[in-house]
Amino acid sequence: QVYLVESGGGSVEAGGSLMLTCSASGNSYKSCPMAWYRQVPGKERELVATIDTDGTTTYMDDVKGRFTIFQDNTKDTLYLRMYNLKIEDTARYVCAADSNSDLECDFGLWGPGTQVTVSA
């Protein structure tokens, strides 16, 4: 059984920085990409960043150049470093990994999330 637990959220002023951490247990997810999503009540969930097994990363346009996704060598921990935070970055940030429900990779496994609040 794989569990994901996020931490590192908080309240910061615009222009500030945070680093989010996702601690993962188990091994089944390690052969698949991982991702950070963010969710604001009443809005669609946004895919913020992904990292593939070879280290290739992707980012949504709004965070390019400000956010960095990376993992430790064991892939037990996923990070999201966030610089120059904007008010519109306020959201609950959720770590996602493969659910191991079939042979294809997905982002079907979620952690509870960590809240990021950016103020003026």
Side-chain angles (χ1 to χ4, degrees):
Q1 187 86 26
V2 176
Y3 296 96
L4 304 174
V5 179
E6 303 91 340
S7 60
S11 298
V12 296
E13 293 184 349
S17 303
L18 284 173
M19 187 156 81
L20 306 183
T21 299
C22 172
S23 297
S25 63
N27 290 293
S28 61
Y29 65 93
K30 294 184 179 181
S31 60
C32 292
M34 294 187 73
W36 284 99
Y37 283 81
R38 65 188 185 188
Q39 178 77 59
V40 175
K43 293 187 177 181
E44 281 194 25
R45 180 188 304 152
E46 295 181 309
L47 178 58
V48 176
T50 67
I51 183 165
D52 211 334
T53 53
D54 63 357
T56 302
T57 58
T58 66
Y59 298 92
M60 63 181 295
D61 287 344
D62 286 353
V63 307
K64 284 180 181 177
R66 299 190 298 119
F67 290 12
T68 303
I69 185 172
F70 60 102
Q71 290 174 298
D72 66 353
N73 289 337
T74 64
K75 297 186 179 180
D76 289 335
T77 308
L78 179 70
Y79 301 93
L80 185 68
R81 183 182 291 127
M82 305 186 293
Y83 290 117
N84 191 22
L85 282 160
K86 303 177 180 180
I87 293 174
E88 50 265 40
D89 294 321
T90 295
R92 189 162 193 83
Y93 286 73
V94 181
C95 170
D98 179 58
S99 66
N100 199 33
S101 61
D102 56 34
L103 294 178
E104 292 193 13
C105 293
D106 60 35
F107 291 136
L109 182 67
W110 298 74
T114 185
Q115 179 67 33
V116 172
T117 303
V118 185
S119 59

